[in-house]
Amino acid sequence: MQIIKDDSISIMGRSVALKPVLKREIKTFPVGEVVSYDFYEGNYQGKSYVFASPKGRVPSPAVMAATAQTVRSKTGKDVVFVLPTGPSYLRQRLIDKGVYFVVSRRFAFLPDIIINERQRTQAVATKLTPVAQYLLLYHLQLSSIEGLSAREIANWIPYSYPSVTQALQCLEDVGLAIRVPDGTKNKIVKWNVAGRELWDRALPLMMNPVQRVLFADEVISDLQFPTCGINALAHYSRLNPDPERMIAISAGELKNLIADDLLEGQNSYDGNYRIEVWKYPPVTKEGYAGTWVDALSLALSLREDKDPRVENEVEYMLDNIEWKG
C-alpha cells in the first residue's frame, strides 16, 4: 500500500521528501478539495509537484481531473494523486484524462510516461548514440528542435519515433537536454546551452561518424555520394583538395555495390576512391545524396588527424558555422 510516511514517499525506489502545503495556500482551495485530500509539496526528478492523498474513498478519475485543474490554477504546479490501490482499468482512465498518479510501489504516471518495475532496462548513457548525435547536429546545423516533441522531430529526420525517443533519453542522460511537459500529454525538448557552447560541451561525448574506410579504383554507380574527408574540408575552408575522390556511403549501399560487383579494385590501402562508411547519414537535407557531408560531422571525422594544417582549417570551419540552435 502506497502511503506517505515520515514526510516522504517512495516513487520507483526513489525517496521524495514532502512537506505539507502551507495553510495560506490551502485556504485558497475549494472546501471540497480541502476536506477530501491531504496536500503536500515535493520535488521529483527536478520538478516540483503538489501531492494529493485522498482522506477516504478514492474519487473517480473525472473528479480527480477536476481537482488537478483547480489546484494547478491556484499553485501553478501539477498535481500527483497518491493512491493506495489502482486496478488496471482505473490507471488507464486516469492516464486517458492526463491525471498524474503513483500507486503502490509498482506504478506511476508522471508527465507523459508510465513507469513500472520494468521502467528502464538499458543503462544510463554516458556517450551519445548515433541517433542522439544526429539529433544534436541536426539541431545545431539545419533547424532548431527546441520546443518540439519526439513525434514532431520524427517527421523531419530519417529515424522512427521510437528511435527519436531513445535518442532524447540519451541526450537527457548526458546532461545536454531535458524534456519538459508542454501543458498537454507531450514533452518538448529544451537544451541546456546553445550554439558553439553546446558543441563544445558535447564534443567529449561524440563519436567519429566513420565506421570503416576502404579504397577502390572505380565506383560504377549513377548514384551521387557526398564528398567527405580532406576534400570536404577544402570546400568549407581554405585548404586545397587532394586528387583522389573521397565519398561517404551507408553500410547498406556499400553492401549493394559489393554484391553487384560495382567496386573495381577494392582494397584497404589505396585507390582513386577513398570510401568512408558512415554510422549515420550526413546531417544535410539530402543525406547520402548530398554534395558534401555536414561540417560538424566532418570535424568529428578529422578529430584524430594531427596535421597542423588540418587542425587549423577545421577550427576555421567551426568559426564560420552559422549555428541554428
Side-chain angles (χ1 to χ4, degrees):
M1 182 174 179
Q2 176 73 56
I3 57 173
I4 295 175
K5 184 178 181 181
D6 298 328
D7 294 329
S8 69
I9 189 172
S10 177
I11 301 179
M12 305 314 300
R14 298 186 183 186
S15 179
V16 179
L18 301 179
K19 61 180 180 180
V21 172
L22 295 176
K23 288 183 179 180
R24 63 172 177 269
E25 286 192 80
I26 290 290
K27 289 180 179 179
T28 68
F29 296 176
V31 174
E33 271 68 35
V34 174
V35 299
S36 299
Y37 303 92
D38 290 317
F39 291 100
Y40 301 84
E41 292 178 310
N43 188 289
Y44 181 67
Q45 293 188 344
K47 182 176 178 181
S48 181
Y49 295 94
V50 171
F51 290 84
S53 178
K55 292 181 178 179
R57 184 174 60 86
V58 175
S60 70
V63 170
M64 284 190 275
T67 296
Q69 183 175 358
T70 299
V71 175
R72 187 185 302 113
S73 69
K74 300 294 184 181
T75 64
K77 299 176 183 179
D78 287 320
V79 180
V80 180
F81 291 90
V82 183
L83 307 179
T85 60
S88 60
Y89 71 87
L90 175 62
R91 298 197 306 270
Q92 189 57 56
R93 289 177 62 194
L94 290 171
I95 291 169
D96 290 342
K97 291 183 175 296
V99 176
Y100 304 156
F101 64 86
V102 292
V103 53
S104 75
R105 295 183 180 274
R106 296 186 58 201
F107 300 100
F109 178 68
L110 289 171
D112 189 44
I113 58 173
I114 302 171
I115 309 172
N116 59 32
E117 288 179 337
R118 300 181 301 278
Q119 175 192 17
R120 184 164 186 170
T121 58
Q122 73 271 28
V124 176
T126 57
K127 296 284 186 179
L128 294 186
T129 63
V131 183
Q133 184 162 312
Y134 184 97
L135 276 187
L136 172 64
L137 300 185
Y138 181 99
H139 170 73
L140 288 174
Q141 297 177 103
L142 283 185
S143 180
S144 172
I145 61 172
E146 176 93 10
L148 299 183
S149 67
R151 198 168 295 282
E152 290 172 320
I153 295 168
N155 291 330
W156 295 100
I157 69 169
Y159 290 103
S160 67
Y161 168 69
S163 295
V164 172
T165 300
Q166 292 175 2
L168 292 176
Q169 181 63 60
C170 175
L171 290 165
E172 198 163 5
D173 284 349
V174 299
L176 296 177
I178 59 172
R179 290 171 293 171
V180 298
D182 67 351
T184 67
K185 292 184 180 181
N186 294 321
K187 279 187 173 182
I188 57 175
V189 179
K190 294 291 184 181
W191 296 91
N192 295 331
V193 290
R196 181 65 186 263
E197 184 180 357
L198 176 56
W199 163 259
D200 289 338
R201 183 177 296 188
L203 194 56
L205 307 171
M206 291 194 280
M207 69 185 72
N208 186 332
V210 181
Q211 181 175 323
R212 59 176 291 208
V213 176
L214 66 155
F215 297 84
D217 293 331
E218 189 63 45
V219 178
I220 307 171
S221 175
D222 293 331
L223 296 176
Q224 176 176 315
F225 301 110
T227 298
C228 60
I230 297 298
N231 287 351
L233 183 60
H235 167 71
Y236 289 112
S237 70
R238 303 158 297 188
L239 203 63
N240 291 323
D242 285 351
E244 64 181 338
R245 293 281 305 277
M246 301 179 181
I247 60 174
I249 192 171
S250 70
E253 193 56 53
L254 175 65
K255 183 178 179 180
N256 292 337
L257 292 176
I258 293 175
D260 295 336
D261 199 22
L262 298 179
L263 293 185
E264 292 187 354
Q266 176 191 337
N267 65 87
S268 59
Y269 53 88
D270 194 18
N272 296 327
Y273 283 79
R274 184 180 188 273
I275 303 169
E276 294 182 355
V277 183
W278 276 37
K279 299 172 185 175
Y280 58 82
V283 188
T284 64
K285 293 180 180 179
E286 303 85 5
Y288 285 110
T291 305
W292 313 96
V293 298
D294 64 282
L296 295 183
S297 293
L298 175 62
L300 292 168
S301 74
L302 297 172
R303 183 160 50 171
E304 297 177 6
D305 192 320
K306 300 307 179 184
D307 184 337
R309 179 187 59 143
V310 173
E311 291 180 335
N312 289 338
E313 294 308 306
V314 166
E315 193 58 36
Y316 172 87
M317 175 178 66
L318 294 176
D319 286 341
N320 287 279
I321 284 179
E322 181 183 349
W323 304 97
K324 301 295 184 180

